[in-house]
Amino acid sequence: MAALAVGVAVVISFIAKLLVYLIDLVTNISFFGVLSTEYMSPANNTLGLWVIVVPVIGGAIVGLMALYGSKAIRGHGIPEAMEQILTNQSRIKPTITYLKPISAAISIGTGGPFGAEGPIIATGGALGSTLGQLLKITHNERKILLAAGATAGMSAIFGSPIAAIFLAIELLLFEFSPRSIIPVALACITGAAGHHLLFEQGPVFPIEQIIGVPSNTALAGYSTIGIAMGLLSVLVTKIVYFVEDSFEKLPIHWMWWPALGGVGVGVIGYFAPRTLGVGYENITDILSGSMPLQIILSLCLFKFLSWAIALGSGTSGGTLAPLLTIGAATGALLGSVILYFFPASGVTLTLAALVGMSAMFAGASRALLTSIVFALETTMQSNALLPLLAACTGSYFVSFFLMENTIMTEKIARRGVKTPHSYEPDLLEKVTVAQVIEENGLVLSEDNTIAEVRAWLSQETDYQRNYFIIASNENEFRGIVSSSNLFSHHHVGTNKVGSLIKRRNISVAAENSLRTAVEMMAKENLDMLPVVAQDNHVMGVLSYRDIISAYKQGVEEHEQKDPHISLKRHGLKILLRGQKLMSINKRS
């Protein structure tokens, strides 16, 4: 699995570079009429009013690709990957491997306000899923390959392998185990190596000055920004899905929605050219503190409007870059407000923008660790760790209590798909068979006749079972007999019960976990298992009722809120001790 994950990461690294080239090519053709793959910002175009037409054409092409290619190319990639993991055994159509990057390149290259990270995550996930469908592997292993491809794509774009690993844990894998983390980690490392080879060596968002260690007062300011970003992330998410719902009500075919959204993108792009395209340089400029506040304010508002309209129309693109841009701009604005009223607070606009950028992503996606580590990896500013931790936690806190679903899960939640929001240790993994074994369970002797056993069981109704354990007179395990086989009329009553044994010897050891026992029951289609010692002697019987009781007990212990130390009782002891001392003093 690790080797396969690394192979997928190598391929997706080159696809990431190809996607960037393709975006630049479409951008240069659309806005400058030049056949080139050199990066040129669409904000520098000289098309005038004709700039409104470019996103409309791009949206129309994406709509046609979605109609005649695959509808799955619509959206920003991560929710679609999550849905396939949760509902379709991680099976993604192979056509997404090439349709998603091409459609995203057309959408972004014609002015769509998206980032390249969403499409490459979707493409990497599709590539890993396709490989998993070609090979004879389990559904869980296919999920690992999907996550490895998706996060390797993110690592290749941003050079942020650790953040990509956390993204896999928080949004794709829904588990934390060595069998999944090791392949994903190796894939992310490979993706980062691809970034350094094919893109650049330094951080994606370089900050020239080194951020100093913030004071406690400044930390309080950054925490306040984080709480405000949590509120804003809720508002942003609700507006985005309100726009999407509005498109759903239009009396035209969904194929034309991206073109209609392109009208809004074009009009906004005419008045605010910086909103067009990926705009990673906008984030760098905001973080550097070189951008005037008036431009930051217009970028914050218009980038959000353009992105909400485009994403709601169902075109192809990512959410990470727009969220980072909006968050960085808002963070810088909030930082300037704090400095205006509290000039001695120690807050800097650079760190305020970085905190806002990360906190926006934390609140909108609730990928807390991903948001913090991503900001650190893409800027290489280690002193920002504490403010990032405080702000992102505050944003996450507000988002969790005010919004049921996130910008990543709202769409699939509406389709009835429930996403896990906690990763707790398996209760059954912590309990051994020996702790719940039924030592007095029913065991039949192989020497009893079929007629004797039938007669006894017909009288002892409390011992009705679907399966019965057969042992020798020395209590050595022989096998399992089903109730239907035991009471079948085809068998002669004088035959021994031991002659009915057809199943191979299936048993569990006392030191095994209940999870092992459950997996064995499911695989063998049994509702009980014999517990056998090393010398093959039967120690007892484990039934599904015992497992359910153990699980119920574990849940109750997890939710029990009884105090172990009584302050009231402790106070009474102190009072009694005081009364004794007073009585001794009086006597003396």
Side-chain angles (χ1 to χ4, degrees), residues 121-135:
I121 287 173
T123 303
L127 180 63
S129 174
T130 300
L131 179 61
Q133 293 175 69
L134 291 173
L135 301 175

Side-chain angles (χ1 to χ4, degrees), residues 452-472:
E452 289 173 343
V453 173
R454 286 175 178 173
W456 184 80
L457 288 175
S458 62
Q459 295 177 355
E460 300 291 337
T461 55
D462 293 339
Y463 288 96
Q464 299 297 325
R465 299 287 188 272
N466 293 323
Y467 295 93
F468 299 98
I469 296 172
I470 310 298
S472 66

Side-chain angles (χ1 to χ4, degrees), residues 269-334:
Y270 174 74
F271 292 101
R274 278 182 172 267
T275 62
L276 296 170
V278 176
Y280 289 143
E281 68 276 3
N282 293 330
I283 300 173
T284 303
D285 292 341
I286 296 172
L287 293 176
S288 66
S290 61
M291 185 179 289
L293 290 178
Q294 294 86 348
I295 298 178
I296 292 177
L297 178 60
S298 65
L299 179 63
C300 178
L301 293 175
F302 290 122
K303 185 74 173 183
F304 167 66
L305 289 174
S306 177
W307 168 64
I309 293 171
L311 188 64
S313 69
T315 192
S316 180
T319 59
L320 188 52
L323 284 175
L324 297 180
T325 304
I326 298 165
T330 308
L333 293 172
L334 292 174

